[in-house]
Amino acid sequence: DAKTTQPNSMESNEEEPVHLPCNHSTISGTDYIHWYRQLPSQGPEYVIHGLTSNVNNRMASLAIAEDRKSSTLILHRATLRDAAVYYCILIRGSQGNLIFGKGTKLSVKP
Amino acid sequence: GAVVSQHPSRVICKSGTSVKIECRSLDFQATTMFWYRQFPKQSLMLMATSNEGSKATYEQGVEKDKFLINHASLTLSTLTVTSAHPEDSSFYICSALGLAVAYNEQFFGPGTRLTVL
């Protein structure tokens, strides 16, 4: 599976937008871009996924570069509950395995 | 939404004993379930994938005789850590994938923290 690169940590202020970057320069045409997050001492939860077009859901937006070599998860208004480790994962095809990297630890300051 | 539960949430056992962890999909049928292990301050590591009614597929380096996985029904998978030792202490997390729920989305349980004394 193609690898992803994310910053180890990021900080945000409460109620401000957060842009979490992910590089995936070796992505293949059939790789889906998934984002999961893990709150402390909990199992991960799905955030969003996309293939080529930008995606929006109730939790976040996913902006995918035109060449698909990078993507950005956007939290429109960070809350304290958004403090978590965010994982950007590529999955080949329809229902492949999730291979978790180190992710980005997001801290949200009040 | 789709909910996955795990039981127990925490377990402490003596070295040499076996521990069983249950993973249940509460409101959907899970065709595939996954078991992960997470050590402190590390990421999740996939241990094995199980499909209902068939043998689990283990990742390289995971001992199948030590980590017994049973996926006997579409809503239940169990992980048994046999002859547990202190190095098996970890956070064990399951996830489930169902055809009837959101495409491509794995639903994770809350995790089970195992401490082996």
Side-chain angles (χ1 to χ4, degrees), chain A residues 3-4 9 13 21 39 45 48 50 52 56 68-70 75 78 82-83 87-88 93 100-101 107:
Chain A
K3 289 188 177 179
T4 63
S9 62
N13 293 318
L39 279 65
E45 64 174 339
I48 201 166
T52 56
N56 299 298
R68 299 211 324 128
K69 293 186 176 183
S70 65
L75 307 179
D82 291 323
Y87 298 98
C88 169
F100 287 83
S107 303

Side-chain angles (χ1 to χ4, degrees), chain B residues 51-71:
Chain B
N51 293 297
E52 183 263 339
S54 60
K55 289 184 178 180
T57 302
Y58 290 81
E59 295 298 302
Q60 195 172 10
V62 178
E63 301 173 56
K64 60 181 180 181
D65 294 330
K66 181 169 183 62
F67 298 99
L68 302 179
I69 292 172
N70 183 283
H71 191 167

Side-chain angles (χ1 to χ4, degrees), chain A residues 52-64:
Chain A
T52 56
S53 304
N54 294 345
V55 185
N56 299 298
N57 66 20
R58 63 176 178 80
M59 287 181 72
S61 295
L62 177 61
I64 301 173

Side-chain angles (χ1 to χ4, degrees), chain B residues 18-92:
Chain B
S18 293
V19 175
K20 180 186 282 189
I21 302 169
E22 291 186 349
C23 176
R24 292 182 185 273
S25 57
L26 298 185
D27 49 5
F28 69 101
Q29 293 185 325
T31 52
T32 305
M33 285 185 167
F34 304 86
W35 286 95
Y36 298 82
R37 180 169 51 182
Q38 186 174 32
F39 293 108
K41 298 192 185 299
Q42 294 188 24
S43 190
L44 284 80
M45 287 176 43
L46 179 65
M47 298 175 67
T49 303
S50 73
N51 293 297
E52 183 263 339
S54 60
K55 289 184 178 180
T57 302
Y58 290 81
E59 295 298 302
Q60 195 172 10
V62 178
E63 301 173 56
K64 60 181 180 181
D65 294 330
K66 181 169 183 62
F67 298 99
L68 302 179
I69 292 172
N70 183 283
H71 191 167
S73 78
L74 285 172
T75 59
L76 173 65
S77 176
T78 60
L79 167 69
T80 302
V81 183
T82 62
S83 186
H85 289 95
E87 58 265 29
D88 298 323
S89 298
S90 188
F91 194 46
Y92 291 87

